[in-house]
Amino acid sequence: EAGVTQFPSHSVIEKGQTVTLRCDPISGHDNLYWYRRVMGKEIKFLLHFVKESKQDESGMPNNRFLAERTGGTYSTLKVQPAELEDSGVYFCASSQAWGVGTEAFFGQGTRLTVV
Amino acid sequence: GQNIDQPTEMTATEGAIVQINCTYQTSGFNGLFWYQQHAGEAPTFLSYNVLDGLEEKGRFSSFLSRSKGYSYLLLKELQMKDSASYLCAVSYMIKAAGNKLTFGGGTRVLVKP
């Protein structure tokens, strides 16, 4: 069974440009999460989808970040325009159900570098 | 906030035992996970605790005390391949239909020969 896949694995863009990250969760997983780890900091929650609905987007830094999950399958995270402080590793995770003990499976992350 | 604290780095010798502590805020607690992350790779699930006590899984064990907001991950018979970051993550019930995993900063374990 395929795991959580993220694309691209690395992205280097200039300040002011736009970047779109993609996450394909494990098939059948309704829950999809985006996390971010900036240099030297802990992994921080960005938002949570249940199917195509945004369940919790309290971790989104500002309105330059837009996440979508049309059709409840894959998700995209767009940063527009990118700033230097957006550099970091963006992780996507998915889980099968929301109940107690639900394990989240992580993708390998997208390393974003804004120069 | 929901601060989760764990040591930044630990060093141990091959074959030894290392214990990684994690403390967290208890309000809304809905389970605690430990993940292992090798450099450049995805975090991978190690263990889950929701009730007090010790969960043993091979060389790895995880302990939870809900009243104290405390957990530890015990790594026994350390191997060189155990060198990695270990992430403590707490699931908090945010809404009726969702849990949110909140991570500590990770503990980097270095195993020396």
Side-chain angles (χ1 to χ4, degrees):
Chain A
E1 180 185 357
V4 178
T5 56
Q6 294 186 242
F7 181 83
S9 56
H10 293 82
S11 180
V12 181
I13 62 171
E14 292 184 350
K15 176 182 173 181
Q17 289 186 321
T18 298
V19 64
T20 300
L21 314 181
R22 173 170 170 145
C23 169
D24 286 75
I26 293 173
S27 178
H29 281 193
D30 287 343
N31 290 280
L32 187 149
Y33 304 83
W34 282 99
Y35 289 85
R36 176 174 77 168
R37 185 171 199 156
V38 297
M39 183 74 74
K41 302 284 188 180
E42 67 272 24
I43 294 177
K44 283 199 170 178
F45 169 83
L46 295 179
L47 88 160
H48 169 208
F49 283 99
V50 177
K51 296 185 179 179
E52 67 275 8
S53 300
K54 291 177 185 174
Q55 186 66 33
D56 181 358
E57 52 184 330
S58 61
M60 295 287 264
N62 50 61
N63 59 11
R64 296 186 293 104
F65 289 75
L66 175 64
E68 295 180 321
R69 193 184 182 194
T70 306
T73 54
Y74 71 90
S75 174
T76 58
L77 178 65
K78 180 191 288 187
V79 185
Q80 179 183 30
E83 298 290 343
L84 298 179
E85 64 265 24
D86 300 333
S87 295
V89 182
Y90 290 76
F91 289 102
C92 175
S94 72
S95 64
Q96 192 167 25
W98 62 268
V100 172
T102 303
E103 174 191 346
F105 294 85
F106 282 81
Q108 289 193 303
T110 294
R111 182 173 295 277
L112 174 65
T113 303
V114 183
V115 297
Chain B
Q2 293 156 335
N3 292 334
I4 298 174
D5 294 316
Q6 53 181 128
T8 306
E9 192 169 291
M10 302 181 76
T11 302
T13 306
E14 193 175 15
I17 297 173
V18 70
Q19 178 175 314
I20 306 170
N21 297 323
C22 172
T23 57
Y24 62 90
Q25 293 183 330
T26 59
S27 177
F29 175 82
N30 198 28
L32 186 144
F33 296 80
W34 283 96
Y35 282 84
Q36 181 191 58
Q37 186 179 23
H38 286 99
E41 298 182 7
T44 54
F45 171 81
L46 286 179
S47 69
Y48 168 73
N49 295 71
V50 69
L51 299 176
D52 291 349
L54 187 67
E55 294 281 341
E56 297 188 80
K57 191 183 290 187
R59 295 188 298 113
F60 293 178
S61 303
S62 57
F63 172 83
L64 177 70
S65 169
R66 289 172 295 170
S67 61
K68 295 182 180 178
Y70 167 70
S71 172
Y72 68 73
L73 179 69
L74 195 68
L75 286 62
K76 294 178 280 189
E77 300 169 22
L78 279 172
Q79 301 176 9
M80 298 300 291
K81 66 179 182 179
D82 297 331
S83 292
S85 287
Y86 291 84
L87 309 173
C88 175
V90 177
S91 180
Y92 286 100
M93 178 70 78
I94 302 299
K95 296 179 183 178
N99 292 285
K100 185 166 80 176
L101 267 183
T102 301
F103 285 84
T107 299
R108 186 180 168 204
V109 172
L110 179 62
V111 181
K112 294 185 173 180

